[in-house]
Amino acid sequence: MASESSSDAKFQELLAPFLKGDFRLMSVAELRKFCTSKGLRKVSRLNKPELLRVLDEAGMEPPQLPPEKVIKKLKILTVMLLVMLECLSI
């Protein structure tokens, strides 16, 4: 059992960078909803850069990414890695 928990911990450690939330991956509607849920007001007319600035100034932490966004992020990183490897082999 101890090895299972240590392997689970290692797996969580490896996935942590991919699971960490990122406001930049959220839509404007998602950002506005998040802001209002955290008590930030007057965000309905702000655009994405303004919303990101407000969240940064408020010291807000982004929510954990949903699985579909984690998968999307991993796919993008995989493609980028493959492109880089292909460029290096030329």
Side-chain angles (χ1 to χ4, degrees):
M1 293 285 177
S3 65
E4 282 183 28
S5 64
S6 67
S7 64
D8 287 347
K10 184 65 175 171
F11 184 68
Q12 288 293 335
E13 182 182 333
L14 290 171
L15 282 179
F18 300 104
L19 297 175
K20 183 180 178 193
D22 188 343
F23 286 128
R24 295 171 298 168
L25 297 176
M26 296 172 70
S27 69
V28 172
E30 291 170 328
L31 289 169
R32 287 180 181 147
K33 185 175 181 179
F34 181 82
C35 287
T36 55
S37 74
K38 297 298 182 185
L40 298 173
R41 303 188 69 194
K42 299 183 180 180
V43 296
S44 62
R45 292 190 178 153
L46 300 180
N47 60 31
K48 191 166 186 173
E50 293 168 332
L51 288 163
L52 294 173
R53 182 183 46 75
V54 166
L55 288 164
D56 184 50
E57 289 174 357
M60 295 287 174
E61 290 291 321
Q64 188 173 10
L65 291 175
E68 61 273 4
K69 286 200 178 185
V70 173
I71 291 168
K72 181 179 178 183
K73 196 172 183 181
L74 287 171
K75 284 180 181 178
I76 291 169
L77 289 172
T78 302
V79 169
M80 289 173 59
L81 179 60
L82 291 172
V83 168
M84 287 172 46
L85 289 173
E86 189 175 308
C87 289
L88 291 174
S89 66
I90 293 178

